[in-house]
């Protein structure tokens, strides 16, 4: 290689920025977002719903600031809704199979999915109703579970403010 001063420059290192790792979100006609178990670990949330609601595609139905969500029609449930179109417009799958609704409103309760068994989550936000039907008007959330899980898993969290108080 020649430098701008006309002197020969020796190439010391080459950095390759790219990958040939197959990802379904790059080959699909519909936009697919796939996240791994790392999302649940990074957020430090104790529920699947809380971790999922950190993604921009989701609109939380009830949050920690909701006033008495237990009095709602789906009280005590952890629901998911894509693009703010409601929980009944979002289809929830486990390993590609429909999850049974938790009540008569047709809404799936995410509390039945253990976070430690989730390997990855695939989210389809566009054109899903053409494939899955009217249950998927807002999109599809597919939880991919680990195929092998032997033993016991313990998880713990600890927090402290930047001033050294407020320890949890």
């Amino acid at each position: 290689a020649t430098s701008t001063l006309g002197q020969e420059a020796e190439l010391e290192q080459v950095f390759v920025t790219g990958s040939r790792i197959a990802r379904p979100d790059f080959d699909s006609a519909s936009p697919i977002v796939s996240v791994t178990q790392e999302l649940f670990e990074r957020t430090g949330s104790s529920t699947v719903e809380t971790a999922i609601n950190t993604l921009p595609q989701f609109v939380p139905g009830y949050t920690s600031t909701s006033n008495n969500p237990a009095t709602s029609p789906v009280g005590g449930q952890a629901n998911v809704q894509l693009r703010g179109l409601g929980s009944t417009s979002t289809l929830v799958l486990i390993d590609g199979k429909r999850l049974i609704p938790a009540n008569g409103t047709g809404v799936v309760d995410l509390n039945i999915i253990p976070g430690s068994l989730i390997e990855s989550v695939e989210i389809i936000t566009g054109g899903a109703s053409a494939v899955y039907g009217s249950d998927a008007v807002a999109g599809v959330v597919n939880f991919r579970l680990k195929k092998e899980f032997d033993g016991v898993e313990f998880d713990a969290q600890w927090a402290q403010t930047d001033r050294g108080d407020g320890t949890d």
Side-chain angles (χ1 to χ4, degrees):
T2 307
S3 67
T4 55
L5 301 174
Q7 300 172 346
E8 288 292 320
E10 189 172 313
L11 186 62
E12 293 180 16
Q13 290 183 337
V14 175
F15 292 101
V16 177
T17 57
S19 175
R20 292 192 169 268
I21 297 173
R23 289 188 51 187
D25 38 340
F26 292 138
D27 298 330
S28 170
S30 294
I32 298 176
V33 175
S34 55
V35 295
T36 62
Q37 171 73 25
E38 186 179 331
L39 170 73
F40 300 96
E41 294 169 3
R42 265 196 346 258
T43 59
S45 55
S46 57
T47 65
V48 173
E49 175 197 29
T50 308
I52 289 293
N53 282 333
T54 62
L55 298 171
Q57 296 88 344
F58 295 94
V59 176
Y62 299 104
T63 63
S64 59
T65 60
S66 296
N67 185 14
N68 198 11
T71 60
S72 74
V74 292
Q77 290 186 7
N79 306 123
V80 63
Q81 61 173 309
L82 285 165
R83 302 187 293 172
L85 296 176
S87 297
T88 56
S89 299
T90 301
L91 178 61
V92 179
L93 306 173
I94 291 185
D95 289 329
K97 296 180 178 97
R98 291 175 189 253
L99 195 58
I100 304 292
N103 58 25
T105 63
V107 178
V108 171
D109 185 6
L110 296 183
N111 287 325
I112 67 168
I113 304 172
S116 59
L117 288 182
I118 296 174
E119 183 177 308
S120 65
V121 181
E122 299 167 341
I123 303 135
I124 304 171
T125 56
S129 62
V131 176
Y132 293 99
S134 62
D135 291 348
V137 169
V140 176
V141 181
N142 184 26
F143 292 93
R144 312 253 346 149
L145 302 182
K146 295 176 183 175
K147 299 298 180 211
E148 294 183 22
F149 187 86
D150 293 329
V152 178
E153 181 175 308
F154 292 97
D155 192 13
Q157 299 176 18
W158 183 81
Q160 185 178 38
T161 66
D162 59 349
R163 295 182 183 199
D165 60 354
T167 305
D168 286 342

